[in-house]
PDB file of all heavy atoms in Angstrom:
ATOM      1  N   GLN A1261     171.392 -17.870 317.378  1.00  0.00           N
ATOM      2  CA  GLN A1261     170.023 -17.445 317.680  1.00  0.00           C
ATOM      3  C   GLN A1261     169.960 -16.098 318.388  1.00  0.00           C
ATOM      4  O   GLN A1261     168.878 -15.562 318.611  1.00  0.00           O
ATOM      5  CB  GLN A1261     169.340 -18.519 318.550  1.00  0.00           C
ATOM      6  CG  GLN A1261     169.214 -19.867 317.869  1.00  0.00           C
ATOM      7  CD  GLN A1261     168.493 -19.774 316.528  1.00  0.00           C
ATOM      8  OE1 GLN A1261     167.399 -19.215 316.433  1.00  0.00           O
ATOM      9  NE2 GLN A1261     169.101 -20.327 315.482  1.00  0.00           N
ATOM     10  N   HIS A1262     171.116 -15.563 318.749  1.00  0.00           N
ATOM     11  CA  HIS A1262     171.170 -14.291 319.472  1.00  0.00           C
ATOM     12  C   HIS A1262     172.038 -13.297 318.725  1.00  0.00           C
ATOM     13  O   HIS A1262     172.994 -13.670 318.043  1.00  0.00           O
ATOM     14  CB  HIS A1262     171.731 -14.490 320.890  1.00  0.00           C
ATOM     15  CG  HIS A1262     170.971 -15.477 321.723  1.00  0.00           C
ATOM     16  ND1 HIS A1262     169.760 -15.177 322.318  1.00  0.00           N
ATOM     17  CD2 HIS A1262     171.254 -16.760 322.068  1.00  0.00           C
ATOM     18  CE1 HIS A1262     169.325 -16.235 322.985  1.00  0.00           C
ATOM     19  NE2 HIS A1262     170.214 -17.212 322.851  1.00  0.00           N
ATOM     20  N   VAL A1263     171.720 -12.025 318.892  1.00  0.00           N
ATOM     21  CA  VAL A1263     172.552 -10.971 318.318  1.00  0.00           C
ATOM     22  C   VAL A1263     173.963 -11.071 318.891  1.00  0.00           C
ATOM     23  O   VAL A1263     174.152 -11.231 320.107  1.00  0.00           O
ATOM     24  CB  VAL A1263     171.951  -9.586 318.634  1.00  0.00           C
ATOM     25  CG1 VAL A1263     172.920  -8.474 318.243  1.00  0.00           C
ATOM     26  CG2 VAL A1263     170.627  -9.412 317.900  1.00  0.00           C
ATOM     27  N   SER A1264     174.940 -10.983 318.018  1.00  0.00           N
ATOM     28  CA  SER A1264     176.338 -11.077 318.431  1.00  0.00           C
ATOM     29  C   SER A1264     177.013  -9.709 318.333  1.00  0.00           C
ATOM     30  O   SER A1264     176.497  -8.790 317.676  1.00  0.00           O
ATOM     31  CB  SER A1264     177.080 -12.069 317.534  1.00  0.00           C
ATOM     32  OG  SER A1264     177.289 -11.490 316.250  1.00  0.00           O
ATOM     33  N   PRO A1265     178.181  -9.544 318.950  1.00  0.00           N
ATOM     34  CA  PRO A1265     178.925  -8.288 318.786  1.00  0.00           C
ATOM     35  C   PRO A1265     179.215  -7.988 317.318  1.00  0.00           C
ATOM     36  O   PRO A1265     179.144  -6.832 316.894  1.00  0.00           O
ATOM     37  CB  PRO A1265     180.215  -8.543 319.574  1.00  0.00           C
ATOM     38  CG  PRO A1265     179.852  -9.598 320.565  1.00  0.00           C
ATOM     39  CD  PRO A1265     178.853 -10.464 319.896  1.00  0.00           C
ATOM     40  N   ALA A1266     179.525  -9.018 316.544  1.00  0.00           N
ATOM     41  CA  ALA A1266     179.815  -8.806 315.124  1.00  0.00           C
ATOM     42  C   ALA A1266     178.590  -8.297 314.372  1.00  0.00           C
ATOM     43  O   ALA A1266     178.709  -7.457 313.471  1.00  0.00           O
ATOM     44  CB  ALA A1266     180.334 -10.096 314.494  1.00  0.00           C
ATOM     45  N   ASP A1267     177.401  -8.804 314.721  1.00  0.00           N
ATOM     46  CA  ASP A1267     176.182  -8.287 314.094  1.00  0.00           C
ATOM     47  C   ASP A1267     176.039  -6.789 314.365  1.00  0.00           C
ATOM     48  O   ASP A1267     175.656  -6.017 313.479  1.00  0.00           O
ATOM     49  CB  ASP A1267     174.944  -9.005 314.644  1.00  0.00           C
ATOM     50  CG  ASP A1267     174.897 -10.475 314.274  1.00  0.00           C
ATOM     51  OD1 ASP A1267     175.082 -10.794 313.095  1.00  0.00           O
ATOM     52  OD2 ASP A1267     174.672 -11.302 315.177  1.00  0.00           O
ATOM     53  N   ILE A1268     176.338  -6.384 315.574  1.00  0.00           N
ATOM     54  CA  ILE A1268     176.238  -4.969 315.948  1.00  0.00           C
ATOM     55  C   ILE A1268     177.269  -4.154 315.182  1.00  0.00           C
ATOM     56  O   ILE A1268     176.963  -3.080 314.639  1.00  0.00           O
ATOM     57  CB  ILE A1268     176.404  -4.805 317.466  1.00  0.00           C
ATOM     58  CG1 ILE A1268     175.211  -5.447 318.193  1.00  0.00           C
ATOM     59  CG2 ILE A1268     176.553  -3.331 317.852  1.00  0.00           C
ATOM     60  CD1 ILE A1268     175.384  -5.590 319.693  1.00  0.00           C
ATOM     61  N   MET A1269     178.493  -4.646 315.104  1.00  0.00           N
ATOM     62  CA  MET A1269     179.547  -3.944 314.367  1.00  0.00           C
ATOM     63  C   MET A1269     179.172  -3.795 312.895  1.00  0.00           C
ATOM     64  O   MET A1269     179.280  -2.711 312.314  1.00  0.00           O
ATOM     65  CB  MET A1269     180.863  -4.692 314.523  1.00  0.00           C
ATOM     66  CG  MET A1269     181.389  -4.726 315.948  1.00  0.00           C
ATOM     67  SD  MET A1269     182.709  -5.935 316.215  1.00  0.00           S
ATOM     68  CE  MET A1269     184.097  -5.073 315.450  1.00  0.00           C
ATOM     69  N   LEU A1270     178.711  -4.877 312.281  1.00  0.00           N
ATOM     70  CA  LEU A1270     178.343  -4.840 310.866  1.00  0.00           C
ATOM     71  C   LEU A1270     177.176  -3.897 310.615  1.00  0.00           C
ATOM     72  O   LEU A1270     177.116  -3.224 309.576  1.00  0.00           O
ATOM     73  CB  LEU A1270     178.018  -6.244 310.367  1.00  0.00           C
ATOM     74  CG  LEU A1270     179.199  -7.213 310.283  1.00  0.00           C
ATOM     75  CD1 LEU A1270     178.710  -8.613 309.938  1.00  0.00           C
ATOM     76  CD2 LEU A1270     180.235  -6.750 309.254  1.00  0.00           C
ATOM     77  N   THR A1271     176.251  -3.844 311.557  1.00  0.00           N
ATOM     78  CA  THR A1271     175.118  -2.928 311.407  1.00  0.00           C
ATOM     79  C   THR A1271     175.589  -1.480 311.419  1.00  0.00           C
ATOM     80  O   THR A1271     175.106  -0.653 310.634  1.00  0.00           O
ATOM     81  CB  THR A1271     174.086  -3.177 312.519  1.00  0.00           C
ATOM     82  OG1 THR A1271     173.579  -4.515 312.388  1.00  0.00           O
ATOM     83  CG2 THR A1271     172.928  -2.195 312.434  1.00  0.00           C
ATOM     84  N   VAL A1272     176.539  -1.153 312.273  1.00  0.00           N
ATOM     85  CA  VAL A1272     177.109   0.195 312.274  1.00  0.00           C
ATOM     86  C   VAL A1272     177.758   0.489 310.923  1.00  0.00           C
ATOM     87  O   VAL A1272     177.519   1.535 310.305  1.00  0.00           O
ATOM     88  CB  VAL A1272     178.130   0.354 313.417  1.00  0.00           C
ATOM     89  CG1 VAL A1272     178.901   1.677 313.273  1.00  0.00           C
ATOM     90  CG2 VAL A1272     177.435   0.299 314.775  1.00  0.00           C
ATOM     91  N   TYR A1273     178.558  -0.444 310.416  1.00  0.00           N
ATOM     92  CA  TYR A1273     179.252  -0.220 309.144  1.00  0.00           C
ATOM     93  C   TYR A1273     178.262  -0.091 307.988  1.00  0.00           C
ATOM     94  O   TYR A1273     178.519   0.640 307.030  1.00  0.00           O
ATOM     95  CB  TYR A1273     180.218  -1.353 308.835  1.00  0.00           C
ATOM     96  CG  TYR A1273     181.211  -1.696 309.918  1.00  0.00           C
ATOM     97  CD1 TYR A1273     181.830  -2.933 309.936  1.00  0.00           C
ATOM     98  CD2 TYR A1273     181.539  -0.787 310.935  1.00  0.00           C
ATOM     99  CE1 TYR A1273     182.744  -3.272 310.916  1.00  0.00           C
ATOM    100  CE2 TYR A1273     182.445  -1.123 311.922  1.00  0.00           C
ATOM    101  CZ  TYR A1273     183.048  -2.375 311.911  1.00  0.00           C
ATOM    102  OH  TYR A1273     183.948  -2.713 312.891  1.00  0.00           O
ATOM    103  N   SER A1274     177.150  -0.820 308.080  1.00  0.00           N
ATOM    104  CA  SER A1274     176.189  -0.826 306.969  1.00  0.00           C
ATOM    105  C   SER A1274     175.620   0.567 306.703  1.00  0.00           C
ATOM    106  O   SER A1274     175.122   0.843 305.603  1.00  0.00           O
ATOM    107  CB  SER A1274     175.042  -1.796 307.273  1.00  0.00           C
ATOM    108  OG  SER A1274     174.146  -1.289 308.256  1.00  0.00           O
ATOM    109  N   ARG A1275     175.682   1.444 307.678  1.00  0.00           N
ATOM    110  CA  ARG A1275     175.141   2.795 307.548  1.00  0.00           C
ATOM    111  C   ARG A1275     176.081   3.714 306.757  1.00  0.00           C
ATOM    112  O   ARG A1275     175.670   4.786 306.301  1.00  0.00           O
ATOM    113  CB  ARG A1275     174.898   3.389 308.937  1.00  0.00           C
ATOM    114  CG  ARG A1275     173.851   2.637 309.740  1.00  0.00           C
ATOM    115  CD  ARG A1275     173.963   2.872 311.246  1.00  0.00           C
ATOM    116  NE  ARG A1275     173.981   4.256 311.640  1.00  0.00           N
ATOM    117  CZ  ARG A1275     172.901   4.974 311.909  1.00  0.00           C
ATOM    118  NH1 ARG A1275     171.700   4.426 311.792  1.00  0.00           N
ATOM    119  NH2 ARG A1275     172.996   6.237 312.277  1.00  0.00           N
ATOM    120  N   TRP A1276     177.334   3.311 306.588  1.00  0.00           N
ATOM    121  CA  TRP A1276     178.338   4.191 306.003  1.00  0.00           C
ATOM    122  C   TRP A1276     178.216   4.328 304.484  1.00  0.00           C
ATOM    123  O   TRP A1276     178.619   5.342 303.922  1.00  0.00           O
ATOM    124  CB  TRP A1276     179.736   3.702 306.361  1.00  0.00           C
ATOM    125  CG  TRP A1276     180.036   3.751 307.829  1.00  0.00           C
ATOM    126  CD1 TRP A1276     179.326   4.403 308.804  1.00  0.00           C
ATOM    127  CD2 TRP A1276     181.122   3.117 308.495  1.00  0.00           C
ATOM    128  NE1 TRP A1276     179.910   4.218 310.039  1.00  0.00           N
ATOM    129  CE2 TRP A1276     181.008   3.428 309.886  1.00  0.00           C
ATOM    130  CE3 TRP A1276     182.179   2.320 308.081  1.00  0.00           C
ATOM    131  CZ2 TRP A1276     181.917   2.970 310.830  1.00  0.00           C
ATOM    132  CZ3 TRP A1276     183.087   1.855 309.010  1.00  0.00           C
ATOM    133  CH2 TRP A1276     182.956   2.179 310.378  1.00  0.00           C
ATOM    134  N   GLY A1277     177.704   3.319 303.812  1.00  0.00           N
ATOM    135  CA  GLY A1277     177.644   3.362 302.358  1.00  0.00           C
ATOM    136  C   GLY A1277     176.827   4.517 301.824  1.00  0.00           C
ATOM    137  O   GLY A1277     177.084   5.014 300.716  1.00  0.00           O
ATOM    138  N   ALA A1278     175.845   4.974 302.595  1.00  0.00           N
ATOM    139  CA  ALA A1278     174.977   6.064 302.143  1.00  0.00           C
ATOM    140  C   ALA A1278     175.740   7.366 301.945  1.00  0.00           C
ATOM    141  O   ALA A1278     175.237   8.285 301.280  1.00  0.00           O
ATOM    142  CB  ALA A1278     173.846   6.265 303.145  1.00  0.00           C
ATOM    143  N   ALA A1279     176.936   7.476 302.481  1.00  0.00           N
ATOM    144  CA  ALA A1279     177.719   8.708 302.359  1.00  0.00           C
ATOM    145  C   ALA A1279     178.439   8.806 301.018  1.00  0.00           C
ATOM    146  O   ALA A1279     179.046   9.848 300.726  1.00  0.00           O
ATOM    147  CB  ALA A1279     178.732   8.792 303.498  1.00  0.00           C
ATOM    148  N   PHE A1280     178.360   7.758 300.198  1.00  0.00           N
ATOM    149  CA  PHE A1280     179.135   7.718 298.962  1.00  0.00           C
ATOM    150  C   PHE A1280     178.244   7.383 297.765  1.00  0.00           C
ATOM    151  O   PHE A1280     177.217   6.702 297.916  1.00  0.00           O
ATOM    152  CB  PHE A1280     180.249   6.672 299.086  1.00  0.00           C
ATOM    153  CG  PHE A1280     181.171   6.926 300.245  1.00  0.00           C
ATOM    154  CD1 PHE A1280     180.985   6.254 301.445  1.00  0.00           C
ATOM    155  CD2 PHE A1280     182.201   7.844 300.155  1.00  0.00           C
ATOM    156  CE1 PHE A1280     181.824   6.489 302.536  1.00  0.00           C
ATOM    157  CE2 PHE A1280     183.042   8.092 301.231  1.00  0.00           C
ATOM    158  CZ  PHE A1280     182.856   7.413 302.424  1.00  0.00           C
ATOM    159  N   PRO A1281     178.642   7.801 296.560  1.00  0.00           N
ATOM    160  CA  PRO A1281     177.862   7.503 295.351  1.00  0.00           C
ATOM    161  C   PRO A1281     178.135   6.093 294.838  1.00  0.00           C
ATOM    162  O   PRO A1281     178.735   5.883 293.777  1.00  0.00           O
ATOM    163  CB  PRO A1281     178.349   8.573 294.364  1.00  0.00           C
ATOM    164  CG  PRO A1281     179.766   8.828 294.767  1.00  0.00           C
ATOM    165  CD  PRO A1281     179.785   8.702 296.277  1.00  0.00           C
ATOM    166  N   VAL A1282     177.703   5.113 295.610  1.00  0.00           N
ATOM    167  CA  VAL A1282     177.921   3.705 295.265  1.00  0.00           C
ATOM    168  C   VAL A1282     176.635   2.928 295.537  1.00  0.00           C
ATOM    169  O   VAL A1282     175.746   3.405 296.247  1.00  0.00           O
ATOM    170  CB  VAL A1282     179.079   3.084 296.082  1.00  0.00           C
ATOM    171  CG1 VAL A1282     180.405   3.711 295.702  1.00  0.00           C
ATOM    172  CG2 VAL A1282     178.820   3.230 297.582  1.00  0.00           C
ATOM    173  N   ASN A1283     176.584   1.734 294.992  1.00  0.00           N
ATOM    174  CA  ASN A1283     175.432   0.855 295.197  1.00  0.00           C
ATOM    175  C   ASN A1283     175.879  -0.336 296.031  1.00  0.00           C
ATOM    176  O   ASN A1283     176.463  -1.288 295.511  1.00  0.00           O
ATOM    177  CB  ASN A1283     174.873   0.398 293.850  1.00  0.00           C
ATOM    178  CG  ASN A1283     173.629  -0.468 294.008  1.00  0.00           C
ATOM    179  OD1 ASN A1283     172.971  -0.443 295.053  1.00  0.00           O
ATOM    180  ND2 ASN A1283     173.307  -1.240 292.990  1.00  0.00           N
ATOM    181  N   ILE A1284     175.638  -0.264 297.325  1.00  0.00           N
ATOM    182  CA  ILE A1284     175.978  -1.366 298.221  1.00  0.00           C
ATOM    183  C   ILE A1284     174.772  -2.303 298.276  1.00  0.00           C
ATOM    184  O   ILE A1284     173.656  -1.879 298.572  1.00  0.00           O
ATOM    185  CB  ILE A1284     176.331  -0.863 299.633  1.00  0.00           C
ATOM    186  CG1 ILE A1284     177.494   0.146 299.569  1.00  0.00           C
ATOM    187  CG2 ILE A1284     176.658  -2.033 300.549  1.00  0.00           C
ATOM    188  CD1 ILE A1284     178.783  -0.421 299.024  1.00  0.00           C
ATOM    189  N   LYS A1285     175.020  -3.578 298.003  1.00  0.00           N
ATOM    190  CA  LYS A1285     173.945  -4.554 297.917  1.00  0.00           C
ATOM    191  C   LYS A1285     174.018  -5.530 299.088  1.00  0.00           C
ATOM    192  O   LYS A1285     175.080  -6.094 299.360  1.00  0.00           O
ATOM    193  CB  LYS A1285     174.033  -5.334 296.603  1.00  0.00           C
ATOM    194  CG  LYS A1285     173.947  -4.456 295.369  1.00  0.00           C
ATOM    195  CD  LYS A1285     174.146  -5.282 294.101  1.00  0.00           C
ATOM    196  CE  LYS A1285     174.125  -4.397 292.860  1.00  0.00           C
ATOM    197  NZ  LYS A1285     174.370  -5.176 291.627  1.00  0.00           N
ATOM    198  N   MET A1286     172.912  -5.706 299.758  1.00  0.00           N
ATOM    199  CA  MET A1286     172.824  -6.651 300.863  1.00  0.00           C
ATOM    200  C   MET A1286     171.656  -7.588 300.614  1.00  0.00           C
ATOM    201  O   MET A1286     170.603  -7.154 300.135  1.00  0.00           O
ATOM    202  CB  MET A1286     172.635  -5.920 302.196  1.00  0.00           C
ATOM    203  CG  MET A1286     173.770  -4.975 302.526  1.00  0.00           C
ATOM    204  SD  MET A1286     173.455  -4.038 304.035  1.00  0.00           S
ATOM    205  CE  MET A1286     174.680  -2.746 303.856  1.00  0.00           C
ATOM    206  N   GLY A1287     171.850  -8.849 300.942  1.00  0.00           N
ATOM    207  CA  GLY A1287     170.817  -9.844 300.715  1.00  0.00           C
ATOM    208  C   GLY A1287     169.667  -9.729 301.694  1.00  0.00           C
ATOM    209  O   GLY A1287     169.705  -8.956 302.663  1.00  0.00           O
ATOM    210  N   GLU A1288     168.662 -10.534 301.449  1.00  0.00           N
ATOM    211  CA  GLU A1288     167.436 -10.478 302.253  1.00  0.00           C
ATOM    212  C   GLU A1288     167.692 -10.786 303.716  1.00  0.00           C
ATOM    213  O   GLU A1288     167.171 -10.107 304.607  1.00  0.00           O
ATOM    214  CB  GLU A1288     166.415 -11.464 301.674  1.00  0.00           C
ATOM    215  CG  GLU A1288     165.089 -11.489 302.406  1.00  0.00           C
ATOM    216  CD  GLU A1288     164.095 -12.461 301.789  1.00  0.00           C
ATOM    217  OE1 GLU A1288     164.370 -12.980 300.689  1.00  0.00           O
ATOM    218  OE2 GLU A1288     163.050 -12.712 302.412  1.00  0.00           O
ATOM    219  N   GLN A1289     168.458 -11.835 303.984  1.00  0.00           N
ATOM    220  CA  GLN A1289     168.709 -12.219 305.372  1.00  0.00           C
ATOM    221  C   GLN A1289     169.600 -11.197 306.083  1.00  0.00           C
ATOM    222  O   GLN A1289     169.410 -10.912 307.264  1.00  0.00           O
ATOM    223  CB  GLN A1289     169.342 -13.613 305.427  1.00  0.00           C
ATOM    224  CG  GLN A1289     168.477 -14.713 304.858  1.00  0.00           C
ATOM    225  CD  GLN A1289     167.093 -14.736 305.476  1.00  0.00           C
ATOM    226  OE1 GLN A1289     166.953 -14.638 306.696  1.00  0.00           O
ATOM    227  NE2 GLN A1289     166.075 -14.868 304.648  1.00  0.00           N
ATOM    228  N   THR A1290     170.547 -10.651 305.351  1.00  0.00           N
ATOM    229  CA  THR A1290     171.413  -9.617 305.927  1.00  0.00           C
ATOM    230  C   THR A1290     170.607  -8.376 306.267  1.00  0.00           C
ATOM    231  O   THR A1290     170.763  -7.787 307.347  1.00  0.00           O
ATOM    232  CB  THR A1290     172.529  -9.257 304.938  1.00  0.00           C
ATOM    233  OG1 THR A1290     173.292 -10.435 304.632  1.00  0.00           O
ATOM    234  CG2 THR A1290     173.456  -8.205 305.512  1.00  0.00           C
ATOM    235  N   THR A1291     169.732  -7.976 305.359  1.00  0.00           N
ATOM    236  CA  THR A1291     168.879  -6.809 305.591  1.00  0.00           C
ATOM    237  C   THR A1291     167.985  -7.025 306.801  1.00  0.00           C
ATOM    238  O   THR A1291     167.811  -6.122 307.639  1.00  0.00           O
ATOM    239  CB  THR A1291     168.029  -6.525 304.350  1.00  0.00           C
ATOM    240  OG1 THR A1291     168.907  -6.290 303.231  1.00  0.00           O
ATOM    241  CG2 THR A1291     167.133  -5.315 304.559  1.00  0.00           C
ATOM    242  N   ARG A1292     167.445  -8.227 306.931  1.00  0.00           N
ATOM    243  CA  ARG A1292     166.598  -8.544 308.084  1.00  0.00           C
ATOM    244  C   ARG A1292     167.403  -8.436 309.376  1.00  0.00           C
ATOM    245  O   ARG A1292     166.929  -7.875 310.375  1.00  0.00           O
ATOM    246  CB  ARG A1292     166.012  -9.952 307.929  1.00  0.00           C
ATOM    247  CG  ARG A1292     165.065 -10.364 309.058  1.00  0.00           C
ATOM    248  CD  ARG A1292     165.087 -11.864 309.261  1.00  0.00           C
ATOM    249  NE  ARG A1292     166.429 -12.362 309.447  1.00  0.00           N
ATOM    250  CZ  ARG A1292     167.133 -12.246 310.565  1.00  0.00           C
ATOM    251  NH1 ARG A1292     166.615 -11.641 311.625  1.00  0.00           N
ATOM    252  NH2 ARG A1292     168.364 -12.717 310.642  1.00  0.00           N
ATOM    253  N   MET A1293     168.613  -8.998 309.366  1.00  0.00           N
ATOM    254  CA  MET A1293     169.453  -8.929 310.562  1.00  0.00           C
ATOM    255  C   MET A1293     169.758  -7.490 310.941  1.00  0.00           C
ATOM    256  O   MET A1293     169.649  -7.088 312.109  1.00  0.00           O
ATOM    257  CB  MET A1293     170.761  -9.698 310.322  1.00  0.00           C
ATOM    258  CG  MET A1293     171.740  -9.672 311.491  1.00  0.00           C
ATOM    259  SD  MET A1293     172.861  -8.243 311.500  1.00  0.00           S
ATOM    260  CE  MET A1293     174.012  -8.688 310.200  1.00  0.00           C
ATOM    261  N   ILE A1294     170.109  -6.678 309.963  1.00  0.00           N
ATOM    262  CA  ILE A1294     170.452  -5.287 310.223  1.00  0.00           C
ATOM    263  C   ILE A1294     169.255  -4.522 310.777  1.00  0.00           C
ATOM    264  O   ILE A1294     169.380  -3.760 311.748  1.00  0.00           O
ATOM    265  CB  ILE A1294     170.995  -4.629 308.941  1.00  0.00           C
ATOM    266  CG1 ILE A1294     172.395  -5.177 308.630  1.00  0.00           C
ATOM    267  CG2 ILE A1294     171.035  -3.102 309.073  1.00  0.00           C
ATOM    268  CD1 ILE A1294     172.920  -4.785 307.283  1.00  0.00           C
ATOM    269  N   HIS A1295     168.092  -4.739 310.202  1.00  0.00           N
ATOM    270  CA  HIS A1295     166.887  -4.067 310.702  1.00  0.00           C
ATOM    271  C   HIS A1295     166.600  -4.464 312.148  1.00  0.00           C
ATOM    272  O   HIS A1295     166.185  -3.636 312.969  1.00  0.00           O
ATOM    273  CB  HIS A1295     165.692  -4.392 309.817  1.00  0.00           C
ATOM    274  CG  HIS A1295     165.727  -3.675 308.508  1.00  0.00           C
ATOM    275  ND1 HIS A1295     164.882  -3.958 307.462  1.00  0.00           N
ATOM    276  CD2 HIS A1295     166.523  -2.663 308.055  1.00  0.00           C
ATOM    277  CE1 HIS A1295     165.146  -3.169 306.440  1.00  0.00           C
ATOM    278  NE2 HIS A1295     166.142  -2.378 306.772  1.00  0.00           N
ATOM    279  N   HIS A1296     166.827  -5.743 312.467  1.00  0.00           N
ATOM    280  CA  HIS A1296     166.602  -6.212 313.839  1.00  0.00           C
ATOM    281  C   HIS A1296     167.563  -5.506 314.798  1.00  0.00           C
ATOM    282  O   HIS A1296     167.144  -5.034 315.874  1.00  0.00           O
ATOM    283  CB  HIS A1296     166.794  -7.725 313.920  1.00  0.00           C
ATOM    284  CG  HIS A1296     166.559  -8.285 315.286  1.00  0.00           C
ATOM    285  ND1 HIS A1296     165.364  -8.877 315.668  1.00  0.00           N
ATOM    286  CD2 HIS A1296     167.352  -8.331 316.399  1.00  0.00           C
ATOM    287  CE1 HIS A1296     165.437  -9.264 316.932  1.00  0.00           C
ATOM    288  NE2 HIS A1296     166.639  -8.942 317.400  1.00  0.00           N
ATOM    289  N   VAL A1297     168.836  -5.433 314.431  1.00  0.00           N
ATOM    290  CA  VAL A1297     169.824  -4.812 315.313  1.00  0.00           C
ATOM    291  C   VAL A1297     169.543  -3.317 315.462  1.00  0.00           C
ATOM    292  O   VAL A1297     169.621  -2.767 316.568  1.00  0.00           O
ATOM    293  CB  VAL A1297     171.255  -5.063 314.793  1.00  0.00           C
ATOM    294  CG1 VAL A1297     172.279  -4.308 315.647  1.00  0.00           C
ATOM    295  CG2 VAL A1297     171.575  -6.560 314.801  1.00  0.00           C
ATOM    296  N   LEU A1298     169.203  -2.670 314.364  1.00  0.00           N
ATOM    297  CA  LEU A1298     168.893  -1.240 314.432  1.00  0.00           C
ATOM    298  C   LEU A1298     167.739  -0.944 315.386  1.00  0.00           C
ATOM    299  O   LEU A1298     167.704   0.105 316.025  1.00  0.00           O
ATOM    300  CB  LEU A1298     168.537  -0.714 313.039  1.00  0.00           C
ATOM    301  CG  LEU A1298     169.702  -0.449 312.089  1.00  0.00           C
ATOM    302  CD1 LEU A1298     169.169  -0.166 310.685  1.00  0.00           C
ATOM    303  CD2 LEU A1298     170.550   0.718 312.576  1.00  0.00           C
TER     304      LEU A1298
END
C-alpha cells in the first residue's frame, strides 16, 4: 500500500527508454504506479 524503494528505482529506469529507438510497453497498473512516484 506504500511506495517502496523498488518502485522508486523502477520509475527512474522507466525514463531511460526514451533515449533509444525502441517501443517500451508498460501496463496500465505499472503506468499508474510510475506516474504516482514521479
Side-chain angles (χ1 to χ4, degrees):
Q1261 298 305 308
H1262 303 283
V1263 171
S1264 73
D1267 294 311
I1268 293 169
M1269 295 166 76
L1270 291 173
T1271 298
V1272 170
Y1273 307 159
S1274 74
R1275 296 159 53 89
W1276 296 346
F1280 302 98
V1282 293
N1283 183 20
I1284 303 298
K1285 301 176 183 178
M1286 300 176 196
E1288 181 179 350
Q1289 298 307 314
T1290 301
T1291 301
R1292 182 209 53 76
M1293 179 273 285
I1294 288 170
H1295 286 169
H1296 181 98
V1297 175
L1298 282 170

